Amino acid sequence: MFKRTGFIFNADDCINCKACEISCKNENQTPMNIQWRTVKKVAPELYLSLSCNHCDSPECFRVCPERAFIKRKDGIVQIDENLCTGCQLCVSACPYQAPQFNPETRKVSKCQMCYPRQDIGMVPACVEACTTGALNLVDLNTFEDEQTVRNLPGFSDVTVTNPSIIFYPLKPRKRYFLQ
Amino acid sequence: MKDGVYRNTCPRNCFGTCGILSYVKNGRLMKVTGDPKHGYTKGRLCAKGYASTQFVYNTQRLKYPMIQSPRGSGNWKRISWDEAYSIIAGKIIELNQRFGSNLASGYNKFSGNLGFLHYAVEGMFNSFGPHTKPVGNPCALTGKLAVNQAFGHNFSSNPEDMADTNLIVIWGANPAVTNVHQMKFIYEARRSGAKFIVIDPIFTRTAEKADVYIQINPGTDAWLAFGIAKILIEKGIDDEESIREQTIGWDQYKHFIHHQIDLSDVSKRTGVPTEAMEVLAEFYGNLKPAVTWNGLGIQRNDRGSHSISAINSLAAMTGILSNPNSGLYYMHFDIEHFPQLLLNHQGPVHPNITKSRDIDISNYSKNALALTEPPLKFLWVASRNIITQDQNLKSWHQLFNQLELIVTVDLYLTKTAKHSDIVLPAASHFEEEDLNVGYWHYWLSINQKSIPPYYEAKSDLQIARELTKKLNELSPGFSNFPFEKEPIDWIKEELTPEIMRQYSLTSYEDLLEGPHKKIEIAHSMPDSEKFRLLPSKETVTEQLQSENLKKPLTYRLLTPQTLLKIHSQYELVPWLNQEQTEDIIELSSTAAIQHEIDENTKIEIYNQHGFIIGTAKINPTLPNQVVLASQAGNNPINQLITQTDDKGANGSSTFFYDSMVNIRKWREKNV
Amino acid sequence: MNNHFAIPEFVQELSTASSHGVNQIVQKLSTLLSHPVLVVDPLYQVLSCSTGIEAIDEIVIMPDNQQESNPHFAVFSCQISTIDSLKNGLANPITLNNKILGYLILFSNDKPLAAGLYEDALIYTASLCALQMQKSLELKQERQKFKEAFLFDLLYGNIKQKEDITEYGEIWGWDFSIPHIVIVFSYKEDNHFFTNKQTVNMLLQVVENELISQNFKPIAMAKQSQVITMIPLVDTDYDENRAKLEAFAVTVLNKAAKMNPEFELACGIGKKYRNPTELFRSYQEAKVAFELGILLKITTPLFTDFGLERILYKHDLQDLIEYYNHTLGSLLEHDKNHDGNLIETLEVLAANQFDMGKTAKASFLHRNTLRYRVKRIEEILNMKLDDLHVRLDIMAAFKIKQLRKI
Ligand code: SF4
Ligand code: SF4
Ligand code: SF4
């Protein structure tokens, strides 16, 4: 059976350094307001680095009248900007704000999981940039770890689109605040 | 430039000194990646590094030399480099004739670019003979002296080794923000079972990740170190005999701890519950090897040196002297082992002035104003943005009024540049050759010229070469700067046979293949010298007294680095400025209630030196007596920071963390 | 000397036959032992039979207690029921590398067979079968990979030419010139991915077998927790199609539940598409129907049945909560303050299309009581329940609640 490439994000290790976010811009030279990956603080101490989740049931793909999206056999959901007419149905269909509309070109773009890099055996730019190792790739068809969960607070509902991302949650810690 | 991949090094004043690979096509920087051959950064950069293409190709970058008249009017006019050199050289020569020396000419340069060849500024001024120059390190000097004092030499352990330890205790450092690459070594240690402790007044990002976080009243670190020492000594030290042998002053130290330290008193001063002290003592006592990290924050107040000494003594007591795998971290000064030929360039001898006039950089403007015979009349600013970065801003404005010519070399029209007469466009590190060595890690790396300069930008070295040539044209023999030497010549000369041996280099070309690490890294166990334990009686008394100083205002202003900027350096890179982080003033919930301040409302913090306005953010984990504001921004917080004039000002770091302020709601009429 | 290494003739004959496949082995063994022989898969589906496949109805393995406790015999007895008789047999597992590939069964039309007599022959023949079955399994897997790649592309709309799809389909005997519909069967996942491959593969077999029994060339594949199948719809009659599909889904769900009762299974049915390049939509719709079916507790949810639900499901949560409270807030408030349950009455009423008669029956209330309650509800909500707009609002509000949005 094929791979199902997805992201694995360790919230316990992420330090919100944004190297992943900016390295994506460096790699893809996306314009100023187009963020294929964003690191957000979603709760005290909880940061999520999110991009397109290359869902198993991509809503973007289902609703696109131009069929600009394709789902590759390794799981990557790709958009062909040339086919995009800028109707933005995918933008409202995606629960994760992944597709980004560029008002200047009137086209939508999104994280392509660095398929040109993956095709030559490299990891995505954001994964390479993550100095703490919080962001990684896995094959969700074979990956198993009891400690992972499919959802964390601050992440949209995983039903319907079935995103290809899995998380390690925060671990409890000991703290002594000032008396 | 040929298409291809070049090796660069990030020259910022940062723990990373990262190796960069630059992808160049048609003379344009297409993207950057980390250099996988760099053993500390391991092929990664930080967010700022990844924004390099924007840093280089930014419409706000200075393209040409410009002059503005009158100063501050914003009425800029493009001039040629030759015109700029003529004006500047003319002024330097005129001042020399007027005052009979170059003492009226000075510069202010610090850490904007830490590359070896950026000492061209120093080299250029040296080449005129005696002049006015800044001395000191505003950032790290106090700690340096304290480490030196204890070990007899400067010393900071090998950062990669942190991965192999069983206990990591960080006092007042925030690597998750300021030293991101270190986190992977910390995590590696933790994954194999190590405990990770953070002690900090602020619940930082690093503190969030720690196994145990201990919040402490600012400036009381020494007390906590004493408290832990007390618990350990009381329990009995295993190899007391060897500690006594390896140190100076053990019995005195023990006596002091035993008789003058009382745990409940420590707890009251530090705000740390005794339970936390017990936990920490337990770890320090049982987990070996252990590493202790003195953050720069510890020494940025007037008790910093004692704190570092006390922490070092605790570390000495708990293994750094006996266990070769344990470590002590601060920062190192290995750059001083290089010839630093530009920095140490010898200028011509002056018939009656033996040496240059020094200005303590921690208090440059005030000290400069005090100079007479001759007063300072010409100022050259490089690698530094005074207006957002320096303190005592009022005296800066006074100084500016007295100066006849101000020249700023920068990439952008910074706030300082806006107050200058002439701005000269500086090359980015991708547009010049250089050599860099870390001050945290031990890697030496090259910086290749990978792209042509942006418009007419030039490197500090190139400017020095051309300006000194012009000076000699106008006044033969004015400067003895070896302007014929190419950058590569300077680089090769830094690599003496001894340096080549230390970094296992056979030739300069080796560095083109990747960074090289120093082979022998100083050890924590002093070979011949003994470790000097503190405190001596005098310092303790001094410490106790200094704490009794009553501060007139109620909140301590802390100003740590923000993530995406180093001081003010990346303010103009749009990728990094998508979130509004500027102008935020954080205060505790208690303070908010007391002053009836709501989240996101405008507030003002002020003291006798000035005020700034910002947006209130309530941070429930902040100590009550602390307010937090980020460096740089539209309303530079250093307006509020002054150097405590007197004691210890010479030979210490700037006490950025010692400013006291008050808070009030912002009302239109207050302005 | 040579006599010592002589190979019995029947061994020779069997191994020669084995190169022609399992069918030949079965025939040969049957001839040699003068009894009918069967080979079945691990789910007791007949793969080969010396008397022809049609004759067998069901096989029930009946381990004889005595024999099971007797380690001398690897074989065990079983019962084979055909349409008109019950027969006794001896079975021997066909195994390779400790994996059971199926069973070899020898049966008699009259008296039970003596285990001791046939054991050796069965064990040996089973090992021959194992090698053959392994070979054809590998072949099948090889072809399966190719097939899966095609199905993947079909399900994700990666083949843009209708002709290409029809052509490819013919390789496996599928006719994509007629309309198809996608049904997804999937094990439920909450906060973990479902990773039990074996269970999913068994489900795939159930689906395929069920399709075969309905005379379809099965189009089906397993994918993570799902088994996806495409069913051709020749009939144009909507209701008839619908009834067939639902019956099919129910059968699969029941059979699978019997096999693996510990895992929760559900299904979803997409829309019918005439053009196979559009079938990917049916797949995505089936998955949406699957999720909505779980929430609304519908066993065989059809995407076409959901209209309002789909829109509500995807709508902004905050907005929905506001809408809900705006519509029903005052009634909820009243119930809370008076410990009442008017909201339940209203819910039953809405579920019964505001028909008083049906509602009275469904909620076991006397008509007059119901009438009184409806009056109270109208007062509290300050709305008239016979207004069509009001009804729509109320139904939508209850849908939001059912969709677990609140
Ligand atoms: S995250 Fe959004 S854009 Fe990406 S595959 Fe899923 S639905 Fe599509
Ligand atoms: S995978 Fe590539 S395109 Fe996607 S977020 Fe990471 S760097 Fe950007
Ligand atoms: S690079 Fe890694 S640690 Fe930094 S924000 Fe991204 S995921 Fe988090």
Side-chain angles (χ1 to χ4, degrees):
Chain A
M1 192 50 204
F2 319 110
K3 285 209 298 194
R4 177 179 173 191
T5 321
F7 290 108
I8 177 161
F9 177 75
N10 189 329
D12 199 49
D13 280 348
C14 176
I15 53 174
N16 191 18
C17 74
K18 301 195 193 300
C20 48
E21 178 180 316
I22 308 291
S23 72
C24 175
K25 301 192 74 69
N26 170 58
E27 178 75 21
N28 301 296
Q29 294 289 316
T30 48
M32 181 57 194
N33 292 312
I34 303 299
Q35 294 284 103
W36 289 359
R37 177 170 288 283
T38 330
V39 192
K40 273 188 299 204
K41 180 171 185 167
V42 294
E45 298 171 48
L46 181 60
Y47 314 100
L48 294 183
S49 170
L50 297 174
S51 65
C52 166
N53 298 304
H54 302 273
C55 303
D56 197 50
S57 310
E59 277 288 283
C60 52
F61 161 87
R62 185 176 72 82
V63 301
C64 179
E66 306 302 326
R67 300 186 53 183
F69 291 86
I70 59 165
K71 173 98 177 160
R72 299 189 357 162
K73 292 190 192 65
D74 55 6
I76 299 178
V77 175
Q78 222 178 297
I79 179 171
D80 181 348
E81 272 189 62
N82 295 323
L83 298 176
C84 174
T85 55
C87 75
Q88 299 184 61
L89 280 178
C90 57
V91 176
S92 47
C94 169
Y96 315 99
Q97 290 91 43
Q100 305 266 305
F101 181 67
N102 183 342
E104 265 167 47
T105 58
R106 301 207 54 79
K107 297 220 178 259
V108 168
S109 67
K110 66 165 199 74
C111 157
Q112 309 270 50
M113 223 189 209
C114 285
Y115 70 85
R117 290 172 64 103
Q118 289 207 49
D119 287 349
I120 53 169
M122 292 168 78
V123 295
C126 52
V127 170
E128 180 183 276
C130 179
T131 183
T132 63
L135 184 65
N136 270 300
L137 276 195
V138 275
D139 177 359
L140 291 170
N141 273 345
T142 52
F143 180 79
E144 264 176 83
D145 186 340
E146 292 273 290
Q147 293 182 26
T148 54
V149 292
R150 290 184 65 204
N151 207 341
L152 282 182
F155 187 64
S156 305
D157 193 357
V158 296
T159 47
V160 176
T161 71
N162 199 351
S164 301
I165 183 168
I166 197 161
F167 304 94
Y168 285 101
L170 293 177
K171 291 195 184 119
R173 309 238 179 264
K174 187 83 201 127
R175 273 146 198 181
Y176 297 97
F177 286 101
L178 284 182
Q179 287 182 319
Chain B
M1 304 293 117
K2 274 200 296 204
D3 287 0
V5 183
Y6 292 82
R7 283 214 142 75
N8 286 96
T9 303
C10 178
R12 299 292 161 244
N13 183 4
C14 161
F15 294 93
T17 321
C18 302
I20 302 174
L21 294 182
S22 306
Y23 291 73
V24 176
K25 210 171 160 189
N26 297 328
R28 207 182 150 83
L29 182 66
M30 304 308 288
K31 67 166 185 180
V32 293
T33 67
D35 185 348
K37 290 199 181 155
H38 195 294
Y40 178 68
T41 57
K42 298 202 169 164
R44 272 123 188 179
L45 301 173
C46 69
K48 293 165 293 236
Y50 283 116
S52 291
T53 53
Q54 277 232 332
F55 183 71
V56 173
Y57 304 112
N58 189 311
T59 46
Q60 308 222 43
R61 255 189 87 175
L62 293 170
K63 296 183 175 122
Y64 316 104
M66 294 195 296
I67 189 161
Q68 91 175 321
S69 59
R71 190 191 293 163
S73 66
N75 178 25
W76 290 101
K77 201 179 88 201
R78 177 181 168 183
I79 52 173
S80 70
W81 274 99
D82 194 61
E83 280 172 274
Y85 289 143
S86 300
I87 298 169
I88 298 164
K91 177 50 87 183
I92 296 175
I93 293 168
E94 188 262 315
L95 288 173
N96 178 283
Q97 287 163 352
R98 199 191 316 167
F99 296 109
S101 81
N102 289 321
L103 291 184
S105 297
Y107 65 93
N108 187 314
K109 181 216 161 204
F110 187 53
S111 60
N113 187 315
L114 296 184
F116 279 89
L117 301 201
H118 280 265
Y119 285 122
V121 179
E122 284 85 346
M124 175 173 84
F125 273 85
N126 285 348
S127 78
F128 311 154
H131 56 279
T132 299
K133 64 161 60 204
V135 292
N137 176 339
C139 193
L141 195 65
T142 307
K144 177 181 176 182
L145 294 178
V147 173
N148 223 333
Q149 191 274 339
F151 288 92
H153 59 123
N154 277 306
F155 152 75
S156 182
S157 297
N158 178 16
E160 288 97 305
D161 289 349
M162 216 182 261
D164 303 318
T165 51
N166 282 319
L167 174 66
I168 298 166
V169 186
I170 301 187
W171 299 70
N174 186 11
V177 172
T178 60
N179 189 353
V180 292
H181 299 297
Q182 191 61 38
M183 293 308 286
K184 63 174 174 291
F185 299 111
I186 296 174
Y187 286 167
E188 207 180 312
R190 170 146 78 186
R191 273 191 283 273
S192 38
K195 286 275 179 248
F196 169 37
I197 322 298
V198 170
I199 300 157
D200 203 306
I202 304 173
F203 185 49
T204 62
R205 293 252 174 84
T206 314
E208 288 174 6
K209 300 294 168 192
D211 294 313
V212 179
Y213 164 60
I214 298 174
Q215 191 169 40
I216 184 169
N217 283 324
T220 63
D221 305 82
W223 288 104
L224 182 59
F226 294 152
I228 294 159
K230 169 122 182 158
I231 299 175
L232 287 169
I233 288 174
E234 234 79 311
K235 281 211 181 103
I237 307 278
D238 286 346
D239 45 357
E240 190 172 341
E241 239 353 272
S242 66
I243 295 182
R244 183 176 283 118
E245 238 158 63
Q246 285 169 311
T247 56
I248 298 171
W250 169 251
D251 289 314
Q252 192 194 3
Y253 175 76
K254 201 174 147 185
H255 185 267
F256 161 77
I257 296 282
H258 193 69
H259 286 97
Q260 298 195 29
I261 298 301
D262 169 67
L263 285 189
S264 62
D265 176 52
V266 169
S267 181
K268 212 158 62 215
R269 287 172 191 272
T270 57
V272 176
T274 26
E275 184 200 330
M277 286 190 251
E278 298 278 357
V279 168
L280 201 49
E282 165 97 24
F283 286 156
Y284 258 124
N286 296 328
L287 298 178
K288 303 282 152 78
V291 300
T292 299
W293 178 347
N294 286 305
L296 290 175
I298 299 278
Q299 45 110 44
R300 288 211 182 115
N301 64 64
D302 57 7
R303 293 175 297 285
S305 136
H306 305 309
S307 294
I308 294 205
S309 300
I311 294 166
N312 287 350
S313 300
L314 175 63
M317 216 174 96
T318 53
I320 49 163
L321 300 177
S322 53
N323 189 327
N325 295 322
S326 52
L328 187 71
Y329 291 84
Y330 177 58
M331 62 188 275
H332 67 74
F333 299 84
D334 272 13
I335 191 168
E336 290 166 4
H337 301 165
F338 287 73
Q340 301 187 87
L341 290 168
L342 278 162
L343 178 66
N344 297 322
H345 178 74
Q346 289 298 322
V349 196
H350 191 275
N352 36 40
I353 301 169
T354 49
K355 58 190 273 290
S356 285
R357 233 173 14 181
D358 290 347
I359 300 185
D360 177 10
I361 198 164
S362 308
N363 208 352
Y364 193 94
S365 53
K366 265 198 181 167
N367 293 338
L369 276 171
L371 297 175
T372 51
E373 289 172 43
L376 193 65
K377 289 289 181 190
F378 166 66
L379 182 65
W380 179 277
V381 182
S383 294
R384 136 159 273 199
N385 186 357
I386 298 170
I387 304 228
T388 52
Q389 207 43 53
D390 224 321
Q391 59 281 31
N392 300 347
L393 210 66
K394 276 184 186 163
S395 49
W396 269 113
H397 284 295
Q398 260 178 312
L399 180 63
F400 283 166
N401 287 338
Q402 151 190 330
L403 292 166
E404 293 176 10
L405 185 66
I406 306 170
V407 177
T408 296
V409 186
D410 208 308
L411 280 88
Y412 297 104
L413 199 62
T414 58
K415 293 192 179 90
T416 312
K418 283 182 185 153
H419 282 82
S420 316
D421 299 294
I422 292 179
V423 290
L424 301 175
S428 74
H429 50 287
F430 298 97
E431 299 152 30
E432 64 185 20
E433 289 93 349
D434 214 332
L435 182 71
N436 299 76
V437 68
Y439 60 70
W440 171 254
H441 62 66
Y442 287 88
W443 292 79
L444 177 69
S445 58
I446 195 94
N447 183 62
Q448 288 181 284
K449 181 170 175 171
S450 43
I451 48 169
Y454 184 76
Y455 292 84
E456 291 188 4
K458 290 184 198 288
S459 69
D460 278 343
L461 177 58
Q462 193 59 23
I463 296 171
R465 293 170 72 189
E466 291 170 4
L467 180 58
T468 50
K469 218 166 136 193
K470 173 64 84 184
L471 277 162
N472 284 354
E473 265 168 45
L474 298 177
S475 167
F478 191 91
S479 153
N480 69 356
F481 192 81
F483 54 76
E484 68 294 339
K485 263 164 74 174
E486 295 292 331
I488 192 68
D489 302 326
W490 289 106
I491 291 177
K492 283 183 180 159
E493 282 177 40
E494 291 296 331
L495 303 173
T496 61
E498 173 56 16
I499 291 290
M500 301 256 268
R501 190 194 63 76
Q502 283 182 10
Y503 289 86
S504 61
L505 291 169
T506 52
S507 80
Y508 137 83
E509 274 84 11
D510 287 353
L511 287 172
L512 297 175
E513 302 301 315
H516 274 236
K517 190 180 183 179
K518 195 176 178 188
I519 32 180
E520 297 145 6
I521 293 165
H523 207 261
S524 58
M525 293 186 275
D527 309 327
S528 50
E529 286 160 295
K530 289 190 171 190
F531 183 94
R532 271 169 293 260
L533 283 164
L534 266 195
S536 71
K537 259 214 188 81
E538 304 80 74
T539 56
V540 175
T541 347
E542 193 186 318
Q543 158 133 29
L544 296 177
Q545 276 165 358
S546 83
E547 235 170 285
N548 290 334
L549 283 174
K550 273 271 162 286
K551 307 281 180 188
L553 296 169
T554 31
Y555 297 93
R556 189 184 290 268
L557 173 66
L558 300 190
T559 60
Q561 295 271 1
T562 53
L563 174 68
L564 299 179
K565 303 175 185 119
I566 292 181
H567 303 306
S568 64
Q569 246 162 359
Y570 286 86
E571 274 181 87
L572 297 171
V573 178
W575 281 359
L576 301 174
N577 281 293
Q578 310 209 348
E579 267 172 78
Q580 206 227 337
T581 51
E582 281 168 15
D583 305 337
I584 293 228
I585 298 171
E586 289 183 43
L587 67 167
S588 68
S589 339
T590 318
I593 292 167
Q594 212 159 12
H595 296 268
E596 297 173 352
I597 287 164
D598 293 329
E599 181 102 1
N600 289 328
T601 53
K602 282 224 154 33
I603 60 167
E604 190 183 322
I605 53 176
Y606 63 97
N607 60 19
Q608 66 270 37
H609 308 290
F611 65 91
I612 65 164
I613 297 162
T615 311
K617 205 176 139 235
I618 297 165
N619 177 347
T621 65
L622 211 60
N624 294 341
Q625 72 277 34
V626 169
V627 291
L628 241 151
S630 58
Q631 295 185 19
N634 293 328
N635 226 337
I637 37 113
N638 51 45
Q639 293 191 4
L640 301 179
I641 300 173
T642 57
Q643 174 89 30
T644 22
D645 267 337
D646 38 73
K647 61 171 171 62
N650 287 323
S652 65
S653 310
T654 304
F655 300 142
F656 289 112
Y657 285 7
D658 253 3
S659 293
M660 303 303 288
V661 294
N662 212 330
I663 309 174
R664 63 176 167 230
K665 280 200 216 172
W666 180 74
R667 288 184 201 87
E668 216 77 52
K669 64 176 161 55
N670 287 344
V671 180
Chain C
M1 285 297 277
N2 272 350
N3 283 346
H4 285 95
F5 296 107
I7 292 169
E9 202 169 323
F10 81 94
V11 172
Q12 193 72 52
E13 281 181 42
L14 277 170
S15 65
T16 313
S18 80
S19 63
H20 300 292
V22 175
N23 277 336
Q24 293 301 311
I25 304 178
V26 167
Q27 289 301 342
K28 186 57 75 203
L29 188 67
S30 169
T31 323
L32 287 170
L33 303 181
S34 313
H35 282 295
V37 175
L38 265 180
V39 169
V40 298
D41 71 6
L43 298 170
Y44 307 115
Q45 301 290 327
V46 178
L47 297 175
S48 176
C49 176
S50 60
T51 60
I53 287 183
E54 314 77 53
I56 308 299
D57 186 36
E58 201 184 8
I59 298 170
V60 186
I61 298 286
M62 300 196 56
D64 182 298
N65 287 341
Q66 264 177 351
Q67 280 184 357
E68 208 183 23
S69 58
N70 186 343
H72 291 302
F73 298 111
V75 293
F76 52 88
S77 37
C78 59
Q79 276 193 342
I80 296 123
S81 65
T82 63
I83 300 177
D84 43 25
S85 66
L86 207 63
K87 293 167 182 168
N88 294 310
L90 275 180
N92 189 67
I94 303 172
T95 57
L96 197 82
N97 305 328
N98 292 326
K99 219 172 88 198
I100 294 194
L101 303 176
Y103 300 93
L104 175 68
I105 301 170
L106 179 73
F107 63 97
S108 134
N109 287 324
D110 31 70
K111 56 183 184 316
L113 300 161
L117 194 58
Y118 297 105
E119 187 176 33
D120 287 351
L122 284 176
I123 290 174
Y124 174 69
T125 314
S127 71
L128 288 178
C129 289
L131 288 175
Q132 283 308 308
M133 288 167 75
Q134 179 64 20
K135 233 198 258 167
S136 66
L137 195 71
E138 277 165 12
L139 244 162
K140 203 173 145 202
Q141 275 170 348
E142 205 43 49
R143 246 182 295 149
Q144 190 70 17
K145 248 192 235 158
F146 182 43
K147 184 162 105 181
E148 279 179 355
F150 169 69
L151 287 178
F152 186 99
D153 282 334
L154 195 59
L155 291 176
Y156 283 105
N158 292 344
I159 315 176
K160 314 269 175 193
Q161 290 303 318
K162 194 172 157 184
E163 293 69 34
D164 289 351
I165 298 176
T166 342
E167 226 166 81
Y168 265 110
E170 280 164 8
I171 299 177
W172 297 280
W174 301 328
D175 181 2
F176 280 110
S177 63
I178 46 176
H180 280 70
I181 198 167
V182 175
I183 305 185
V184 167
F185 296 92
S186 177
Y187 289 98
K188 292 185 194 169
E189 301 179 314
D190 34 44
N191 214 5
H192 292 280
F193 284 114
F194 188 89
T195 46
N196 190 329
K197 295 236 150 53
Q198 215 183 337
T199 308
V200 176
N201 282 334
M202 279 172 111
L203 176 63
L204 177 66
Q205 277 194 30
V206 170
V207 170
E208 285 185 336
N209 290 338
E210 193 54 35
L211 287 168
I212 292 171
S213 77
Q214 298 195 16
N215 280 325
F216 289 124
K217 288 250 187 243
I219 316 178
M221 78 186 277
K223 191 165 172 290
Q224 288 117 43
S225 59
Q226 308 164 356
V227 168
I228 308 141
T229 178
M230 283 173 240
I231 298 181
L233 293 179
V234 205
D235 288 330
T236 43
D237 183 276
Y238 175 79
D239 287 333
E240 202 169 311
N241 276 337
R242 182 184 177 122
K244 269 193 206 159
L245 289 171
E246 290 190 12
F248 168 76
V250 169
T251 317
V252 170
L253 290 175
N254 288 343
K255 285 202 175 169
K258 225 193 274 168
M259 266 163 30
N260 284 305
E262 67 270 41
F263 301 115
E264 275 186 276
L265 184 67
C267 74
I269 305 172
K271 285 201 295 198
K272 175 172 102 175
Y273 286 91
R274 190 163 295 278
N275 184 344
T277 61
E278 299 285 324
L279 270 175
F280 74 94
R281 295 195 199 278
S282 188
Y283 174 45
Q284 299 304 322
E285 288 157 3
K287 287 189 284 185
V288 174
F290 164 83
E291 301 288 355
L292 292 174
I294 293 173
L295 289 178
L296 300 171
K297 305 197 173 62
I298 301 170
T299 322
T300 54
L302 274 83
F303 186 79
T304 39
D305 287 352
F306 302 117
L308 188 57
E309 288 92 340
R310 247 163 57 213
I311 297 166
L312 292 176
Y313 187 67
K314 277 180 37 203
H315 196 82
D316 176 65
L317 180 62
Q318 208 44 47
D319 216 28
L320 289 178
I321 293 174
E322 261 168 46
Y323 177 83
Y324 180 79
N325 288 334
H326 175 78
T327 313
L328 300 176
S330 44
L331 194 59
L332 289 166
E333 186 77 359
H334 179 274
D335 273 358
K336 210 173 102 198
N337 295 340
H338 298 83
D339 214 8
N341 61 351
L342 289 175
I343 194 87
E344 278 165 35
T345 309
L346 185 59
E347 192 166 359
V348 183
L349 189 67
N352 288 289
Q353 294 81 42
F354 293 88
D355 181 316
M356 293 294 261
K358 278 202 223 162
T359 308
K361 223 187 250 165
S363 53
F364 307 105
L365 285 176
H366 191 270
R367 252 174 193 276
N368 285 340
T369 321
L370 181 62
R371 217 168 270 135
Y372 168 75
R373 286 203 182 178
V374 168
K375 215 178 117 234
R376 283 291 294 142
I377 292 171
E378 288 185 322
E379 280 165 21
I380 294 162
L381 290 178
N382 195 18
M383 305 193 264
K384 282 277 165 231
L385 289 185
D386 46 16
D387 181 333
L388 221 64
H389 291 106
V390 170
R391 287 186 178 186
L392 188 65
D393 277 350
I394 290 173
M395 297 227 277
F398 281 120
K399 289 270 189 240
I400 293 171
K401 189 180 146 206
Q402 287 165 356
L403 288 167
R404 260 200 259 142
K405 288 279 177 182
I406 288 171

